[in-house]
Amino acid sequence: MTIVKPSPFEIDDTLKKWDSLENYVLQESSLKKLFTQTYPYNIDIDDVLIKVCSLNDFYSTNIFSPFSVAKHIVELRIDEKLEIDDLTIVNKIANVKMPGDKKRNFYSFASKYCSHHKPAIYPIYDSFAEKMLCHFEKIDKFHNFKKYDLKDYETYRYIIQKFSDYYGLDDYDLKEIDKYLWIKGKEHFAKNYKLK
């Protein structure tokens, strides 16, 4: 099945689909409340651990040691960075020293963590967004990049902006673009997947 090119009509249609997915809508609203009202700061390990565990569960991010990730976030003192919209904090959160001195890169998780604090600034990186962006770069050459460029968060956000500019999607915020990329990515690139 051919992927229809992005357009305001396509985005609106996809956002209607998103709004009909009660489980995802409620999941997102509960995370919004958790991150922006209940525990907006990242100083107390208890608060951060609850946020890490909730994201890990809702998004199935496969973080096998939530405590290690929460401790890492607290040690980074990210609130000041989030306040000034520092995009470099995503890659810093992503690189975690796990038990046994193993380093792990939880890049998708880190983008989700920051996005739930400030969705207008931090778009979510996931494999479906990556596949969609690479697909349209191959088809339309909207911006010259390689797949590995998407793993640098500042570059990733810049590419999303170029994507939005190229297809005339300036009326949509980053969260709406996220939803479009995720839903369309699932529809076209996930095997045996149906949105429920």
Side-chain angles (χ1 to χ4, degrees):
M1 181 162 66
T2 307
I3 304 176
V4 176
K5 288 191 183 189
S7 67
F9 176 81
E10 271 296 293
I11 302 289
D12 289 342
D13 189 53
T14 303
L15 292 175
K16 280 180 196 159
K17 276 185 195 170
W18 171 269
D19 290 340
S20 73
L21 303 169
E22 184 182 29
N23 55 331
Y24 291 114
V25 171
L26 289 172
Q27 179 177 296
E28 285 300 301
S29 67
S30 66
L31 287 172
K32 181 179 180 181
K33 184 175 182 180
L34 184 68
F35 275 74
T36 63
Q37 294 173 32
T38 311
Y39 302 120
Y41 303 108
N42 297 282
I43 301 162
D44 188 307
I45 189 73
D46 293 336
D47 299 354
V48 175
L49 187 57
I50 287 169
K51 292 191 286 190
V52 169
C53 289
S54 298
L55 267 186
N56 190 40
D57 182 56
F58 283 167
Y59 280 97
S60 303
T61 55
N62 298 317
I63 291 178
F64 53 88
S65 179
F67 173 74
S68 299
V69 174
K71 187 175 175 216
H72 173 67
I73 290 169
V74 169
E75 288 169 354
L76 284 173
R77 300 185 174 277
I78 68 168
D79 291 326
E80 185 177 290
K81 302 286 187 189
L82 290 171
E83 185 64 33
I84 61 168
D85 303 338
D86 183 346
L87 301 178
T88 66
I89 197 63
V90 173
N91 284 104
K92 289 175 186 167
I93 291 170
N95 291 298
V96 183
K97 186 176 173 187
M98 300 300 277
D101 282 344
K102 287 187 177 175
K103 285 244 178 182
R104 292 294 301 264
N105 189 315
F106 297 114
Y107 181 57
S108 179
F109 168 84
S111 74
K112 291 174 173 85
Y113 194 88
C114 291
S115 181
H116 281 87
H117 278 287
K118 294 181 94 172
I121 303 301
Y122 297 94
I124 291 176
Y125 168 88
D126 64 36
S127 62
F128 294 114
E130 175 189 281
K131 284 178 171 64
M132 289 290 287
L133 292 170
C134 288
H135 170 78
F136 285 115
E137 167 54 21
K138 186 177 175 184
I139 299 297
D140 291 330
K141 311 282 188 249
F142 73 85
H143 182 68
N144 186 27
F145 68 90
K146 303 288 182 213
K147 187 166 121 173
Y148 62 79
D149 293 329
L150 299 174
K151 295 297 176 94
D152 173 76
Y153 193 75
E154 289 176 276
T155 305
Y156 176 69
R157 189 182 188 280
Y158 180 74
I159 290 167
I160 293 246
Q161 190 58 57
K162 288 293 183 185
F163 172 83
S164 180
D165 294 345
Y166 183 88
Y167 293 105
L169 308 176
D170 297 334
D171 289 341
Y172 301 93
D173 63 29
L174 287 173
K175 192 67 182 170
E176 291 167 325
I177 300 291
D178 274 351
K179 291 172 182 176
Y180 163 78
L181 292 171
W182 184 77
I183 286 181
K184 290 298 179 183
K186 285 258 187 205
E187 286 176 359
H188 294 286
F189 297 108
K191 292 175 183 162
N192 304 318
Y193 187 85
K194 295 239 187 278
L195 289 171
K196 299 176 193 140

